[in-house]
Amino acid sequence: MNIYQHFRTEEREFIDQVLNWKSNVENTYAPKLTDFLDPREQQILKSVIGQDSGILFALFGGTPSAERKRALIFPDYYESDEDDFQIQLFELEYPKKFVTIEHPQVLGSLMSLGVKRGKFGDILFEDDRIQFLAAKEIEEYISMQLQSIGRASVTLKKQPFSQAVQTAEVWKESTITTSSLRLDTVISAIYNISRQKSQLFIQQGLVKVNWTQIENPSFECQQCDIISVRGQGRSKIIEIDGKTKKDKWRIMAGRPQPGGK
């Protein structure tokens, strides 16, 4: 099946999973709800399922600007709504006057509960308010198990989506050109640093693509990839817009705007 030729080798397992979900929906006429997917996985799902086979999908992550979303795959006659996505919004209650909690601590504490990352959506911050989204099937377990983050005692309060912190990042978009889609070349262009420096960042384990550490400079970037370089910040590949007359790749990239929520 030539569907694989557009994707990375390591993405084949996920593609097979999406094909399996689609097949099950076709055979059972029942909707399928996935775990939370990152933007790249969402892009793959869109490509694999398409919109023309009698099988549709919808994505929802609990807030309008959610980065991580659950997908609902369903027959074209099915009417979906927010409840189908089975997402719970939690707010952390903790002694705000005495402690500061940061994003890595929240994620680390959630991961230490022995639940896979796919059961959690975005983590939302606004001043000292901290929220996170989780799959409803684990809400009771994490309500009981998550009692501290760092040195802070915490309790969880369920909130409706209307109370979600609005943390839409403002991405500054720019068009860059690169000689290839290699990770070191793309990082060099996006962050305006030398290729030698970008290779060093990669080799030192400071670079993640879609939340996975990548140590291969020749790793090929694709549309919807989220790139993180420690000390340099995050970026995303919004669109790969073909080649220029000089045979360079034209890429629409985004970086979070300072001060943007």
Side-chain angles (χ1 to χ4, degrees):
M1 195 182 235
N2 67 359
I3 194 166
Y4 298 113
Q5 71 189 37
H6 305 294
F7 301 101
R8 303 180 180 116
T9 305
E10 59 268 28
E11 291 173 335
R12 288 188 173 190
E13 189 179 338
F14 182 70
I15 294 164
D16 288 340
Q17 194 171 32
V18 175
L19 289 168
N20 193 32
W21 290 337
K22 181 182 177 184
S23 173
N24 285 344
V25 173
E26 284 173 333
N27 293 332
T28 64
Y29 307 106
K32 163 67 185 174
L33 179 63
T34 74
D35 284 344
F36 286 93
L37 308 178
D38 66 40
R40 176 63 186 164
E41 290 169 332
Q42 294 166 37
Q43 174 74 12
I44 293 171
L45 183 133
K46 288 176 187 175
S47 300
V48 171
I49 292 185
Q51 294 284 10
D52 56 355
S53 62
I55 301 296
L56 303 178
F57 68 89
L59 297 163
F60 181 63
T63 66
S65 57
E67 197 166 78
R68 296 174 60 79
K69 299 174 183 178
R70 298 189 89 168
L72 187 73
I73 305 164
F74 52 90
D76 56 8
Y77 55 80
Y78 184 84
E79 295 282 331
S80 67
D81 62 32
E82 283 185 1
D83 291 341
D84 289 329
F85 291 89
Q86 294 292 299
I87 296 172
Q88 180 61 56
L89 174 65
F90 286 105
E91 183 150 351
L92 291 179
E93 297 191 325
Y94 65 100
K96 298 174 182 178
K97 287 183 180 178
F98 306 106
V99 291
T100 301
I101 296 177
E102 295 180 347
H103 189 287
Q105 293 174 298
V106 179
L107 182 57
S109 296
L110 293 176
M111 292 293 89
S112 72
L113 299 177
V115 179
K116 61 182 180 176
R117 181 70 177 99
K119 295 298 180 187
F120 296 105
D122 288 4
I123 299 170
L124 312 174
F125 276 76
E126 184 179 58
D127 301 324
D128 58 7
R129 287 183 74 196
I130 304 170
Q131 300 175 334
F132 65 89
L133 295 128
K136 275 196 174 175
E137 57 265 31
I138 60 161
E139 65 175 309
E140 284 188 24
Y141 175 77
I142 54 178
S143 293
M144 288 167 51
Q145 297 294 324
L146 188 65
Q147 297 176 348
S148 65
I149 294 179
R151 294 181 179 179
S153 295
V154 300
T155 54
L156 297 183
K157 181 181 179 182
K158 294 182 186 179
Q159 294 279 34
F161 295 140
S162 60
Q163 293 300 308
V165 165
Q166 299 303 315
T167 58
E169 282 181 301
V170 179
W171 293 83
K172 185 179 180 183
E173 297 180 1
S174 59
T175 300
I176 58 171
T177 56
T178 71
S179 56
S180 79
L181 296 176
R182 282 174 53 111
L183 182 59
D184 56 354
T185 312
V186 171
I187 286 176
S188 175
I190 291 177
Y191 295 90
N192 198 22
I193 56 177
S194 70
R195 190 161 164 197
Q196 287 74 17
K197 196 168 186 180
S198 70
Q199 287 176 343
L200 195 60
F201 283 142
I202 294 165
Q203 288 157 3
Q204 289 176 337
L206 304 180
V207 175
K208 290 184 178 182
V209 179
N210 302 326
W211 298 272
T212 300
Q213 188 172 305
I214 303 294
E215 295 182 7
N216 177 10
S218 63
F219 178 90
E220 189 168 294
C221 295
Q222 302 236 13
Q223 197 159 298
C224 292
D225 280 345
I226 303 276
I227 299 170
S228 171
V229 182
R230 196 181 306 165
Q232 303 290 317
R234 296 200 315 154
S235 61
K236 66 178 175 181
I237 297 177
I238 298 166
E239 190 174 3
I240 297 174
D241 196 21
K243 287 194 168 184
T244 66
K245 289 178 182 175
K246 294 184 177 178
D247 205 36
K248 290 197 167 191
W249 288 99
R250 186 187 291 109
I251 297 172
M252 173 73 79
R255 294 191 67 184
Q257 192 84 299
K261 281 282 179 198

